[in-house]
Amino acid sequence: MRIRLKSKFVILTAVVVSLFAYTKLMARIGAGSPPPDAPLEQQADLIRVYKAERRMILLKGDTPISTYRISLGQAADEGPKQREGDEKTPEGRYEIDWRNPKSMAHLSLHISYPGSDDRRNADAGGFPPGGNIMIHGLPNGWGFFGNAHQLWDWTDGCIAVTNSEMRDIWARVPNHTPIDIMP
């Protein structure tokens, strides 16, 4: 009995170490080349996120041009992000201020959190506000999960979509596009 239990533990340890190594290797390899920009008439001028509905919409004027189902931070339903490590997704008006084609996830667009109010609130509480909040695809090498990632909130506060959706978003969202994240 002990030998069988020890064998199972060794196998489980090997699987966990292999998955960890695979994830680290794929993060280094990256997502490949980002897609080209969409034509100007297909580019968004506003992103709207509805946390409670797990939905993100790209808008051109008042017209929706794309809608996506999303996963959020593990504590997204507990209100807006307040500090580093709280696993909440921010709420408010931000902008896409830079992009990372070599992200550990399939492409990523950085959201300008924390804003001045976020910093002030975190300072008043005596803790750092956190940061590095992104819209991103699945971790590199794990794209085969596709829409299954929407079954639970798994990010640390980011907004996650499938890899093919992230390629579409990357092409349609220029830097400095405003993003409204609502409860």
Side-chain angles (χ1 to χ4, degrees), residues 4-32:
R4 217 185 304 165
L5 186 60
K6 186 177 179 182
S7 295
K8 287 181 181 180
F9 178 75
V10 168
I11 291 169
L12 179 62
T13 301
V15 167
V16 168
V17 168
S18 297
L19 289 174
F20 180 77
Y22 174 77
T23 300
K24 288 294 188 183
L25 174 65
M26 295 311 292
R28 286 185 177 268
I29 290 173

Side-chain angles (χ1 to χ4, degrees), residues 97-117:
D97 57 355
W98 54 271
R99 52 191 62 231
N100 184 357
K102 302 219 182 277
S103 172
M104 58 72 65
H106 186 75
L107 306 173
S108 60
L109 302 177
H110 186 261
I111 297 170
S112 63
Y113 175 89
S116 56
D117 288 344

Side-chain angles (χ1 to χ4, degrees), residues 26-49:
M26 295 311 292
R28 286 185 177 268
I29 290 173
S33 301
D37 293 344
L40 193 55
E41 64 274 3
Q42 295 176 16
Q43 291 185 13
D45 53 26
L46 177 65
I47 304 167
R48 194 164 285 144
V49 174

Side-chain angles (χ1 to χ4, degrees), residues 122-171:
D123 287 344
F127 38 77
N132 214 21
I133 303 297
M134 314 289 264
I135 300 171
H136 61 69
L138 300 177
N140 291 324
W142 296 97
F144 56 84
F145 275 110
N147 288 328
H149 85 92
Q150 299 164 351
L151 296 174
W152 68 94
D153 289 320
W154 55 272
T155 77
D156 290 332
C158 295
I159 299 167
V161 295
T162 67
N163 291 353
S164 62
E165 291 169 333
M166 190 61 225
R167 294 184 70 74
D168 183 56
I169 294 164
W170 180 282

